[in-house]
Amino acid sequence: TGADTTLGSVVSEAVRADLGQSPIVSVVTPQTVVAALQRMQRPPNTRVDTGLARQVALREGVKAIVAGDVHSLAGGGFVVTMRLVSVDSGQELTSLSGSADGAKDLIPTIGGLTHRLRSKMGESLKHLQASPELAQVTTSSLPALEKYTQGQHAMMFEVNLDKAIPL
């Protein structure tokens, strides 16, 4: 938030790069996000906020997302907040924040936060409930996608057409 609209993109890429260093974290590629947006019948350049990120993550079988904010302070400083959010419930698993005195301190602040987040992820991800992956088909409706996936499971794995057809 603030006057510099490019700052969010820069911070996002720095977070992605830092989290990508972890052997236990898989960072979703921009190409995967674009493909999911297209299946959702949205333009590929759609701004992905936390709600939309959860929908994309559900479609891609991702268990958690990292959301955050960067706030500009008077005097040139920044406050950076990162949250690990469970995709299926929307529950915040952990939240971290840090401050930077200026632009030169922003990257080290992000590095410290992502390091702490990576260590917390090891514990937090163990507590996530296993949720079924959704089918990768084209629909703008998440509820329709969930019903389709349930119907597909009933037909393919339960071999129960009476259950599958209404879904």
Side-chain angles (χ1 to χ4, degrees):
T1 58
D4 188 358
T5 58
T6 61
L7 185 60
S9 297
V10 171
V11 170
S12 177
E13 284 306 310
V15 171
R16 290 174 59 78
D18 282 356
L19 291 178
Q21 304 282 329
S22 171
I24 64 164
V25 176
S26 297
V27 178
V28 175
T29 66
Q31 294 84 359
T32 301
V33 174
V34 167
L37 289 171
Q38 288 174 333
R39 286 192 307 277
M40 295 170 75
Q41 301 176 336
R42 293 184 182 225
N45 61 346
T46 300
R47 183 180 179 280
V48 179
D49 61 12
T50 303
L52 185 55
R54 281 187 58 216
Q55 287 186 38
V56 168
L58 276 169
R59 290 169 179 268
E60 296 301 318
V62 174
K63 303 300 180 197
I65 61 168
V66 176
D69 299 294
V70 180
H71 295 277
S72 301
L73 300 174
F78 301 95
V79 174
V80 180
T81 304
M82 292 182 196
R83 297 177 303 282
L84 182 65
V85 178
S86 172
V87 169
D88 58 355
S89 68
Q91 178 184 359
E92 188 174 287
L93 301 172
T94 191
S95 179
L96 303 167
S97 66
S99 59
D101 290 331
K104 65 178 176 35
D105 293 330
L106 197 52
I107 296 300
T109 298
I110 292 166
L113 288 173
T114 56
H115 180 77
R116 288 176 32 214
L117 184 62
R118 284 169 50 184
S119 68
K120 289 185 175 264
M121 282 177 158
E123 288 181 32
S124 298
L125 291 177
K126 290 178 187 173
H127 300 298
L128 289 174
Q129 297 176 352
S131 53
E133 290 190 23
L134 297 175
Q136 292 194 348
V137 296
T138 301
T139 176
S140 59
S141 169
L142 186 58
L145 178 60
E146 290 169 338
K147 291 287 187 188
Y148 176 86
T149 301
Q150 292 169 2
Q152 188 178 39
H153 184 271
M155 185 174 72
M156 303 293 271
F157 298 104
E158 299 172 26
V159 191
N160 185 343
L161 290 177
D162 291 334
K163 181 178 177 183
I165 291 171
L167 290 168

